[in-house]
Amino acid sequence: MISGEGESWHISSAEAMEALGARFANAVTGGVVIFLHGSLGAGKTTWARGFLRARGHQGTVKSPTYTLVESYPLLSGVVHHFDLYRLSDPEELEYMGIRDYFAEDACCLVEWPERGAEIIGAADIALTLDYCDNGRELSACAASQKGREILLRCRHY
């Protein structure tokens, strides 16, 4: 993690969570790997929905809990949305060709990344969603130079 390179936001509604996902999508140029940490129901998929809609996806967005990954080939580039919650063994990721998804120009949003950490490698940005009094708190930490640049751009959207 690049120390001192973090941001946090208080989110009061699902709409605000989607808007924050869109803010990140607008700040991304090229490929990126974003880890989404948080307990069940914290808003990871809602954030991903906002990201995907801002990138041009108009259909439904659901958590790929059983399929492990949903890919969205968009005009703005491909986005792979992973949910590793039900992953029983990280080596399953090798069998599905996980490394092919992490192309340099792809956006990879990974829910429950700790369940596949040995296989998927590092993120550019790690997001952590926590419950707080009347909503959620989202903390973002840059874990690469690319992540730091994205967080800097997020300040301006």
Side-chain angles (χ1 to χ4, degrees):
M1 189 150 336
I2 298 174
S3 63
E5 297 301 334
E7 297 286 331
S8 65
W9 293 266
H10 178 78
I11 300 105
S12 59
S13 66
E15 293 79 15
M17 184 68 78
E18 284 190 32
L20 188 54
R23 184 177 191 171
F24 273 78
N26 291 327
V28 168
T29 57
V32 67
V33 177
I34 299 176
F35 286 176
L36 296 139
H37 299 278
S39 58
L40 287 171
K44 298 179 296 293
T45 299
T46 303
W47 183 95
R49 182 179 305 115
F51 187 98
L52 283 158
R53 288 191 175 148
R55 300 289 286 203
H57 179 67
Q58 296 180 9
T60 59
V61 175
K62 58 185 178 10
S63 182
T65 303
Y66 293 100
T67 59
L68 296 182
V69 63
E70 286 289 331
S71 296
Y72 300 87
L74 305 168
L75 292 176
S76 59
V78 66
V79 177
H80 302 295
H81 180 199
F82 297 87
D83 184 335
L84 306 183
Y85 181 73
R86 297 201 183 276
L87 188 69
S88 58
D89 183 347
E91 286 195 24
E92 290 177 45
L93 297 172
E94 292 288 4
Y95 299 127
M96 69 180 269
I98 190 77
R99 296 182 202 289
D100 295 339
Y101 290 96
F102 286 80
E104 192 169 316
D105 60 343
C107 291
C108 295
L109 312 177
V110 186
E111 297 185 36
W112 302 95
E114 59 278 5
R115 303 216 174 176
E118 314 83 55
I119 306 294
I120 59 175
D124 295 301
I125 298 174
L127 303 180
T128 302
L129 290 99
D130 291 308
Y131 291 95
C132 64
D133 297 335
N134 58 349
R136 307 288 191 276
E137 187 76 22
L138 184 142
S139 300
C141 290
S144 73
Q145 181 61 31
K146 182 187 296 186
R148 185 167 97 54
E149 292 166 4
I150 291 167
L151 288 183
L152 287 172
R153 285 192 294 273
C154 275
R155 291 180 187 163
H156 302 291
Y157 287 102

